[in-house]
Amino acid sequence: MDSYDIPESTPSASSRPEDYFVGATPLQKRLESIRKQTSFIPTPPRRKIPQCSQLQEDADPQNVAFLLHKQWTLYSLTPLYKFSYSHLKEYSRLLNAFIVAEKQKGLAVEVGEDFNIKVIFSTLLGMKGTQRDPEAFLVQILSKSQLPSENREGKVLWTGWFCCIFGDSLLETVSEDFTCLPLFLANGAESNTAIIGTWFQKTFDCYFSPLAINAFNLSWMAAMWTACKVDHYVATTEFLWSVPCSPQSLDISYAIHPEDAKALWDSIHKTPGEVTQEEVDLFMDCLYSHFHRHFKIHLSATRLVRVSTSVASAHTDGKIKILCHKYLIGVLAYLTELAVFQIE
Amino acid sequence: MSPQKRVKNVKAQNRTSQDSNSFQTTLSAWKVKQGPSNSKNISKHGQNNPVGDYEHADDQAEDALQMAVGYFEKGPIKTSQNKDKTLEKHLKTVENVAWKNGLASEEIDILLNIALSGKFGNAVNTRILKCMIPATVISQDSVVKAVSWLCVDKCSGSTKVLFYRWLVAMFDFIDRKEQINLLYGFFFASLQDDALCPYVCHLLYLLTKKENVKPFRVRKLLDLQAKMGMQPHLQALLSLYKFFAPALISVSLPVRKKIYFKNSENLWKMALLAVKQRNRGPSPEPLKLMLGPANVRPLKRKWNSLSVIPVLNSSSYTKECGKKEMSLSDYLNRSGSFPLEQLKSFPQLLQNIHCLELPSQMGSVLNNSLLLHYINCVRDEPVLLRFYYWLSQTLQEECIWYKVNNYEHGKEFTNFLDTIIRAECFLQEGFYSCEAFLYKSLPLWDGLCCRSQFLQLVSWIPFSSFSEVKPLLFDHLAQLFFTSTIYFKCSVLQSLKELLQNWLLWLSMDIHMKPVTNSPLETTLGGSMNSVSKLIHYVGWLSTTAMRLESNSTFLLHFILDFYEKVCDIYINYDLPLVVLFPPGIFYSALLSLDTSILNQLCFIMHRYRKNLTAAKKNELVQKTKSEFNFSSKTYQEFNHYLTSMVGCLWTSKPFGKGIYIDPEILEKTGVTEYKNSLNVIHHPSFLSYAVSFLLQESPEERTVNMSSIQGKKWSWYLDYLFSQGLQGLKLFIRSSVHHSSVPRAEGINYNNQY
């Protein structure tokens, strides 16, 4: 009986993956998913238009107001090991000590004085896509005021927050020892981000990587954010392209009235509630051809570096500013997706 | 020339004289010193010795420096007419050497004396002081001597200021400070000089110890502050005093931080960096950072400034975090845990493996072989996952062709990959992170950057289903393979051979371990073998195409046959039920090769195939139950076909009958009459030269050689001759596959291939 036959040139039929990995470890499962990701198109060809989520409505708008209109630098973050929401106070104390130690390192001048900072960890209630998403949390560094007469709460020196919006794909692959908050946003001096990041990396064995947004994803953002219904537009829709030429690169800015952009989108858009890859391509192509008609420049040959709309604005360097409270979760969901993709 | 310098040179000579070559160089350097008349001669001599030239130049510079120092030591010569010119020349020399390599502590000693003794003018003193940059350290005595010059008041106020600034800037490079501290009172008294005050304050700030803080000094400082107002430098000193002796100072000092001292070392900023670097040893990082502020990812560098791999630390933070909530049992457990810092030997690891305190950052195990052992045997998912995430992200962050303009970190990345590969070799196991990294990065790889490392990573891909991995890895690799040079092709084949070997080792281990533990990959043996056989077929396809592209290069063929040397022995060497033959494109290329070593290798491989197939057949007969892995009759047929061809060509001189079939009509058309024996062990192009030298050895004076004379007994002698020439593969092949009777050329050859 020749049940095992050596294939001639074509592989034999018995190559079902189930044969290979019956009880695979989580690591192997992860590898499997990476294989799938890598072998197909990296991003799904269709996404939902950001909607106002129920969970977010539960949250106090005051709570998240300070997250808007600020420029955040984006990072992806691997799962935190042994992070516990019940120890936030303890973490504040430890991080405070760490920052002070780091700041004093190598400075002879700083003898015997207290660094007047205060570190606060707090959760951001309601900042999640599904109930399964772990709670988002915020880290703030405040300067303690010198004089007691002044406002007790000092100036905010640095803010950073960790969140996970619709992070199901990541959540499935890790055990309970880990807390998945793949998206990290920081505002403040980069030196502070570095110190705090280092502390997190040392304490929770995680890894921060700057999250850049490539032109492909910027186009998606442009389309999805144009598709959002905004009550009143606060900013024009603007695109920035960069032409790499020496000695200085040339930037091309392209501003459109948001209502015109919406009109263009509505003429393209077919399936309600969803955005497809074809629609995104078509949307951008329309913009390109319009520009070419007027200026005889093929924008498709340049690099898209920034997109700003009334919903949010994003830069390819990984900087984002969210303007619209209503679509906060929607914007973060897409960013979470990008962050998860980067760490997978 | 100073005596120290001479001693140094002799030492240098002793050191280098061990090998004659460098002895020569040193000699030439000595000759230069004898007089300028020799120099031409020497430079000619040095031409064929670039190292010598380099040393030569260096030595010349040092020589000039010695002369300059000597000049300054003597003092200005009043009579000399072109005094300014000479002075300028020597100053330049000192400055150049100082900024380039720094000055030895003896030189600093001399020059410092000169600068503060007032022998020369103010401008000269300033210039000398500005270039008092140590090569490594400054001796404490020099400083004490210099301070003593301040007492005689021979130098101007500005020189003094500069001296204090220099002292502050170089403070860390002074070898010892006890004696300088003894001068505390003197420095303190200098505070009264308004111009000096800020710099003296800074110096005192660096110098002050607890015992220096005295009530009378505090009073003095407070007086000064009352006189001069709230000066930041005085405040700094006062706050330091207050820190040491809080009882003595009741005034409240502002808590708000400011830069107390103006950056007084900024004159020497670059020089300081250079000295630090020299003292620390080779590490080009800091200077580079200074020069290139427009780094693409400065953040990354800042976060992990020292090395990519984190330092080994036991998980103290997390431990501390939970301290309050820890129960008694936790405490008991804790006391039993074994701190990583104490882990030094393998027996220690074995004893404490159950209670090892894991590092706070799993990535640090990469540098610790003991912990790699641990990682290897532990099946604790969080541990592996932490390592996986760390390694994946680090590879992604460090990978240089992901980012434009990041090539300056190429060396760092190469080193990192080397570390990973070392760890993988050590564990004899690949990391999943590396595989995932290859999926993402291979499509973007140019085939050049870190080639050796990258191909080694390929060879450590953990065993998995080939058909799944193929589109992700091997298809991309194939594109590079076909479009690159022959050397790249050979390297790829080499790493695929290693990959095959790693897979086979892993599988053979796995099969034997199965009864004991559950392997992480619950694979069926059939599935595994299928995957391996696909890999072999894939390499066969690559090889065949590559042979065509490289027009049957012998060099390439060697690498291909090396691969098949692994393949042919799978059944016996690894105890795995698999025999895959080579494709015809490889077999016939090797059989008809002009290179004897190729043919020899082919013979060896055929011999091993035979052994393996025979062993498999025997096993099949013995244990009828395990019929799942019986080889198909096709494999045997294929082998027999090859064997027939080979024997037909090399032995029976019937080349185009059973094996390679060529229509007799076509053969006739070629017009070659004696084609039948043209591929046997005598006439085969790769053996012909052996046959000739064999015959010449027999009868050296013969002008013409008669090939057909090798018959009968001579045939056996000829074979012995071939075997004695190192053709072991041929020997094994003939011994096993050709059964020859006493009349070898006759029909009595019976190759027992009837399975």
Side-chain angles (χ1 to χ4, degrees):
Chain A
M1 192 184 124
D2 285 332
S3 67
Y4 181 68
D5 201 350
I6 295 168
E8 277 285 309
S9 54
T10 48
S12 76
S14 69
S15 62
R16 286 160 307 163
E18 298 90 329
D19 285 355
Y20 295 95
F21 307 102
V22 178
T25 64
L27 267 182
Q28 274 145 5
K29 277 186 207 149
R30 174 156 301 101
L31 207 59
E32 287 285 290
S33 80
I34 292 166
R35 281 183 194 151
K36 270 177 214 133
Q37 252 181 38
T38 325
S39 38
F40 305 116
I41 310 157
T43 40
R46 56 181 66 235
R47 287 195 181 83
K48 277 189 181 151
I49 293 175
Q51 298 293 330
C52 192
S53 92
Q54 190 56 45
L55 284 162
Q56 192 193 328
E57 274 177 354
D58 296 345
D60 183 4
Q62 284 299 311
N63 260 347
V64 291
F66 70 96
L67 301 177
L68 303 173
H69 300 284
K70 262 202 194 89
Q71 177 162 286
W72 301 101
T73 308
L74 302 171
Y75 297 84
S76 67
L77 179 68
T78 61
L80 302 160
Y81 178 65
K82 297 261 184 202
F83 175 85
S84 156
Y85 286 96
S86 55
H87 291 154
L88 293 185
K89 270 225 172 89
E90 195 68 10
Y91 297 152
S92 304
R93 189 179 65 77
L94 288 168
L95 181 56
N96 200 339
F98 183 80
I99 294 170
V100 170
E102 281 296 308
K103 294 248 167 169
Q104 284 182 347
K105 203 191 264 176
L107 290 182
V109 188
E110 255 64 64
V111 173
E113 279 181 44
D114 224 16
F115 249 88
N116 289 299
I117 58 151
K118 195 177 171 199
V119 178
I120 303 172
F121 277 63
S122 55
T123 50
L124 287 168
L125 289 171
M127 285 289 271
K128 39 164 89 174
T130 65
Q131 285 299 349
R132 277 188 68 198
D133 285 333
E135 210 71 62
F137 73 91
L138 176 79
V139 179
Q140 276 178 306
I141 300 178
L142 309 174
S143 65
K144 267 189 240 163
S145 56
Q146 304 293 312
L147 305 165
S149 60
E150 275 177 40
N151 189 2
R152 290 291 291 176
E153 288 288 292
K155 210 178 92 201
V156 178
L157 296 177
W158 182 93
T159 315
W161 46 298
F162 302 73
C163 69
C164 176
I165 313 290
F166 297 109
D168 295 2
S169 66
L170 181 65
L171 295 169
E172 276 162 14
T173 57
V174 295
S175 62
E176 59 213 3
D177 286 325
F178 294 92
T179 307
C180 294
L181 294 160
L183 185 63
F184 171 66
L185 305 94
N187 172 276
E190 205 179 289
S191 58
N192 283 329
T193 312
I195 293 174
I196 292 147
T198 307
W199 183 79
F200 271 93
Q201 292 192 157
K202 283 187 173 169
T203 312
F204 305 110
D205 203 359
C206 52
Y207 198 101
F208 289 82
S209 311
L211 181 64
I213 310 168
N214 61 26
F216 176 82
N217 290 322
L218 281 176
S219 322
W220 262 94
M221 287 175 177
M224 286 195 298
W225 296 345
T226 306
C228 291
K229 285 191 190 72
V230 181
D231 302 333
H232 61 284
Y233 293 105
V234 291
T236 51
T237 303
E238 194 189 343
F239 299 84
L240 193 71
W241 278 275
S242 165
V243 186
C245 59
S246 64
Q248 274 175 322
S249 65
L250 181 69
D251 286 341
I252 299 171
S253 165
Y254 184 170
I256 313 161
H257 194 281
E259 275 162 14
D260 294 342
K262 182 79 163 80
L264 171 64
W265 175 255
D266 288 340
S267 70
I268 291 167
H269 186 53
K270 288 183 206 84
T271 0
E274 263 186 357
V275 181
T276 64
Q277 183 66 57
E278 294 82 53
E279 287 172 350
V280 173
D281 292 342
L282 196 56
F283 180 63
M284 294 309 284
D285 283 345
C286 289
L287 293 174
Y288 291 152
S289 61
H290 178 73
F291 196 82
H292 183 253
R293 204 175 307 134
H294 289 283
F295 302 103
K296 299 283 172 279
I297 293 173
H298 288 287
L299 284 176
S300 53
T302 65
R303 198 164 65 97
L304 181 60
V305 292
R306 204 186 65 209
V307 168
S308 3
T309 68
S310 289
V311 172
S313 76
H315 193 280
T316 186
D317 286 350
K319 300 245 163 58
I320 192 139
K321 195 187 266 184
I322 303 169
L323 304 175
C324 180
H325 174 258
K326 194 173 153 195
Y327 295 112
L328 179 64
I329 291 289
V331 171
L332 290 172
Y334 187 54
L335 293 174
T336 305
E337 189 188 319
L338 296 182
V340 170
F341 181 71
Q342 181 159 299
I343 60 173
E344 282 282 86
Chain B
M1 194 185 286
S2 69
Q4 288 105 320
K5 171 68 185 155
R6 238 182 258 289
V7 171
K8 224 167 60 184
N9 263 337
V10 172
K11 263 192 208 154
Q13 194 186 7
N14 283 344
R15 206 173 47 233
T16 49
S17 61
Q18 276 136 0
D19 58 331
S20 56
N21 212 2
S22 53
F23 181 57
Q24 221 175 6
T25 15
T26 330
L27 247 191
S28 69
W30 272 99
K31 275 193 212 146
V32 182
K33 279 180 195 135
Q34 285 162 7
S37 58
N38 268 353
S39 64
K40 247 185 220 162
N41 182 17
I42 274 111
S43 60
K44 214 198 289 169
H45 174 82
Q47 262 169 5
N48 21 351
N49 192 344
V51 184
D53 249 7
Y54 176 71
E55 277 184 19
H56 174 134
D58 239 28
D59 250 24
Q60 254 185 351
E62 268 202 33
D63 228 38
L65 179 67
Q66 294 307 318
M67 276 164 71
V69 172
Y71 168 84
F72 285 119
E73 227 175 346
K74 267 188 244 139
I77 304 148
K78 298 271 179 323
T79 50
S80 170
Q81 290 204 330
N82 49 1
K83 177 192 128 193
D84 283 351
K85 248 190 185 165
T86 332
L87 177 68
E88 181 60 30
K89 190 190 94 187
H90 288 311
L91 259 179
K92 269 263 146 57
T93 310
V94 174
E95 279 170 347
N96 283 344
V97 174
W99 282 94
K100 202 175 144 214
N101 296 323
L103 300 171
S105 63
E106 305 89 48
E107 288 151 4
I108 287 184
D109 187 72
I110 296 165
L111 290 171
L112 206 52
N113 250 308
I114 294 158
L116 295 171
S117 65
K119 270 189 202 168
F120 289 86
N122 222 356
V124 177
N125 292 343
T126 308
R127 278 179 70 179
I128 294 181
L129 267 178
K130 277 189 182 167
C131 66
M132 290 293 92
I133 299 153
T136 48
V137 288
I138 299 164
S139 125
Q140 166 176 247
D141 294 340
S142 315
V143 177
V144 173
K145 255 193 268 176
V147 172
S148 70
W149 278 112
L150 296 182
C151 306
V152 272
D153 216 23
K154 287 240 179 180
C155 49
S156 69
S158 64
T159 312
K160 278 186 193 170
V161 168
L162 190 60
F163 172 72
Y164 275 110
R165 291 177 68 184
W166 175 83
L167 203 53
V168 167
M170 300 296 167
F171 193 79
D172 287 343
F173 302 119
I174 301 169
D175 55 356
R176 291 162 66 200
K177 277 137 197 160
E178 297 89 16
Q179 291 195 39
I180 298 175
N181 191 265
L182 293 179
L183 299 173
Y184 195 90
F186 172 78
F187 293 129
F188 196 86
S190 309
L191 281 176
Q192 271 164 326
D193 188 328
D194 284 356
L196 289 182
C197 186
Y199 306 104
V200 175
C201 265
H202 196 169
L203 177 66
L204 289 173
Y205 191 93
L206 298 173
L207 212 54
T208 302
K209 291 181 188 169
K210 196 170 181 192
E211 55 268 29
N212 297 125
V213 183
K214 298 275 159 59
F216 72 90
R217 287 193 179 131
V218 174
R219 268 199 302 279
K220 182 75 205 166
L221 278 181
L222 290 174
D223 281 354
L224 272 174
Q225 175 153 331
K227 199 180 90 191
M228 307 209 296
M230 298 272 267
Q231 296 295 330
H233 45 270
L234 283 174
Q235 275 175 13
L237 196 55
L238 270 170
S239 68
L240 183 67
Y241 273 34
K242 192 173 181 176
F243 174 71
F244 280 128
L248 286 180
I249 300 162
S250 52
V251 278
S252 72
L253 295 164
V255 215
R256 179 86 198 95
K257 203 149 308 325
K258 256 188 218 161
I259 299 166
Y260 284 130
F261 303 109
K262 285 197 193 101
N263 208 355
S264 56
E265 76 258 63
N266 57 12
L267 267 176
W268 293 279
K269 206 165 193 175
M270 285 299 289
L272 288 179
L273 268 174
V275 179
K276 272 182 199 155
Q277 210 181 319
R278 274 199 291 270
N279 289 353
R280 201 184 328 137
S283 152
E285 214 53 32
L287 258 186
K288 207 165 63 192
L289 275 183
M290 277 249 355
L291 296 172
N295 214 322
V296 186
R297 298 253 151 160
L299 170 134
K300 173 73 202 23
R301 297 294 126 194
K302 258 185 257 159
W303 284 37
N304 304 325
S305 51
L306 283 175
S307 95
V308 184
I309 302 166
V311 185
L312 196 68
N313 263 327
S314 46
S315 35
S316 49
Y317 286 109
T318 14
K319 207 168 67 192
E320 213 179 317
C321 291
K323 211 174 248 171
K324 275 182 196 158
E325 287 82 2
M326 237 171 9
S327 66
L328 184 64
S329 65
D330 282 336
Y331 268 112
L332 290 176
N333 285 339
R334 185 73 60 202
S335 64
S337 78
F338 190 80
L340 277 182
E341 288 78 3
Q342 288 174 28
L343 187 68
K344 293 280 181 292
S345 68
F346 191 67
Q348 262 182 331
L349 175 71
L350 290 184
Q351 274 166 22
N352 300 293
I353 201 150
H354 58 288
C355 57
L356 211 55
E357 220 172 70
L358 289 171
S360 60
Q361 284 172 286
M362 218 29 102
S364 57
V365 302
L366 210 53
N367 273 336
N368 186 311
S369 55
L370 288 172
L371 284 177
L372 278 176
H373 277 306
Y374 181 77
I375 283 273
N376 199 24
C377 65
V378 76
R379 288 291 160 211
D380 183 18
E381 199 229 320
V383 170
L384 298 176
L385 203 56
R386 285 161 68 189
F387 183 71
Y388 170 87
Y389 272 124
W390 174 80
L391 190 54
S392 304
Q393 292 298 297
T394 312
L395 278 168
Q396 203 169 314
E397 275 296 292
E398 293 293 311
C399 183
I400 44 177
W401 58 89
Y402 275 7
K403 293 154 199 164
V404 209
N405 299 335
N406 206 12
Y407 277 75
E408 54 197 281
H409 297 304
K411 192 148 175 36
E412 203 174 78
F413 182 56
T414 316
N415 289 341
F416 181 56
L417 289 182
D418 279 333
T419 311
I420 295 170
I421 292 159
R422 260 201 307 280
E424 289 187 323
C425 289
F426 177 77
L427 296 176
Q428 288 291 302
E429 196 175 298
F431 298 129
Y432 287 112
S433 320
C434 293
E435 189 181 344
F437 170 66
L438 285 176
Y439 295 161
K440 286 188 181 180
S441 59
L442 200 64
L444 305 170
W445 186 41
D446 62 358
L448 283 173
C449 198
C450 309
R451 175 192 288 183
S452 144
Q453 285 77 13
F454 224 62
L455 289 178
Q456 281 183 77
L457 283 187
V458 169
S459 67
W460 281 110
I461 295 170
F463 173 75
S464 53
S465 151
F466 182 80
S467 26
E468 265 180 62
V469 182
K470 184 175 171 285
L472 299 166
L473 282 177
F474 295 105
D475 286 350
H476 296 289
L477 198 59
Q479 283 176 10
L480 282 171
F481 181 84
F482 290 132
T483 51
S484 300
T485 61
I486 184 167
Y487 302 105
F488 183 81
K489 293 191 176 84
C490 295
S491 326
V492 169
L493 287 171
Q494 170 91 14
S495 64
L496 289 175
K497 183 187 85 181
E498 276 154 23
L499 175 69
L500 174 71
Q501 179 177 314
N502 290 333
W503 280 17
L504 291 172
L505 275 173
W506 194 88
L507 284 172
S508 61
M509 288 291 292
D510 191 52
I511 284 176
H512 298 122
M513 275 165 59
K514 221 156 221 173
V516 192
T517 56
N518 262 348
S519 104
L521 285 171
E522 287 274 355
T523 59
T524 62
L525 187 57
S528 307
M529 287 303 106
N530 197 356
S531 185
V532 174
S533 104
K534 273 182 196 155
L535 171 68
I536 296 168
H537 279 100
Y538 180 77
V539 177
W541 171 72
L542 276 185
S543 306
T544 314
T545 318
M547 281 300 282
R548 227 177 293 148
L549 286 172
E550 299 294 339
S551 44
N552 295 326
S553 156
T554 313
F555 187 66
L556 181 68
L557 195 50
H558 267 297
F559 280 86
I560 296 170
L561 290 184
D562 274 351
F563 179 80
Y564 281 100
E565 249 185 73
K566 277 267 139 14
V567 174
C568 66
D569 249 347
I570 292 174
Y571 191 88
I572 290 179
N573 271 0
Y574 300 93
D575 206 1
L576 295 171
L578 183 68
V579 177
V580 182
L581 291 170
F582 29 40
I586 300 306
F587 172 76
Y588 290 111
S589 297
L591 181 61
L592 301 175
S593 164
L594 300 181
D595 189 282
T596 326
S597 63
I598 291 286
L599 206 57
N600 183 50
Q601 209 175 353
L602 178 71
C603 289
F604 177 75
I605 292 169
M606 284 300 283
H607 162 70
R608 294 306 306 175
Y609 266 132
R610 182 196 186 84
K611 285 263 178 213
N612 278 268
L613 283 169
T614 321
K617 190 89 188 167
K618 221 177 256 168
N619 268 353
E620 260 168 54
L621 294 174
V622 172
Q623 36 180 207
K624 285 228 158 70
T625 45
K626 214 182 172 185
S627 57
E628 193 195 342
F629 299 111
N630 282 358
F631 301 120
S632 76
S633 52
K634 218 149 123 216
T635 310
Y636 291 111
Q637 277 166 15
E638 224 179 317
F639 175 76
N640 280 338
H641 182 77
Y642 284 155
L643 191 65
T644 318
S645 300
M646 254 180 106
V647 174
C649 284
L650 297 177
W651 199 257
T652 55
S653 303
K654 285 176 183 159
F656 307 119
K658 275 187 182 168
I660 319 170
Y661 178 76
I662 297 177
D663 202 312
E665 272 179 39
I666 297 171
L667 283 171
E668 246 166 64
K669 270 185 196 160
T670 60
V672 184
T673 44
E674 271 299 304
Y675 67 84
K676 279 197 169 171
N677 60 10
S678 59
L679 286 175
N680 67 13
V681 275
I682 298 162
H683 295 93
H684 190 290
S686 64
F687 284 123
L688 200 58
S689 61
Y690 283 90
V692 172
S693 44
F694 168 71
L695 287 173
L696 285 177
Q697 204 183 35
E698 293 273 292
S699 43
E701 58 283 345
E702 201 79 44
R703 299 296 303 268
T704 55
V705 287
N706 182 12
M707 292 296 179
S708 50
S709 72
I710 307 179
Q711 274 192 44
K713 259 215 170 87
K714 223 172 179 182
W715 176 274
S716 326
W717 294 343
Y718 172 61
L719 284 182
D720 287 339
Y721 171 77
L722 286 178
F723 300 159
S724 74
Q725 295 298 303
L727 300 179
Q728 288 303 306
L730 182 72
K731 184 176 174 178
L732 290 167
F733 174 72
I734 288 179
R735 290 272 156 87
S736 64
S737 300
V738 182
H739 172 76
H740 51 107
S741 63
S742 53
V743 194
R745 283 221 71 191
E747 296 302 303
I749 299 159
N750 171 29
Y751 43 95
N752 49 354
N753 56 351
Q754 311 305 321
Y755 294 104

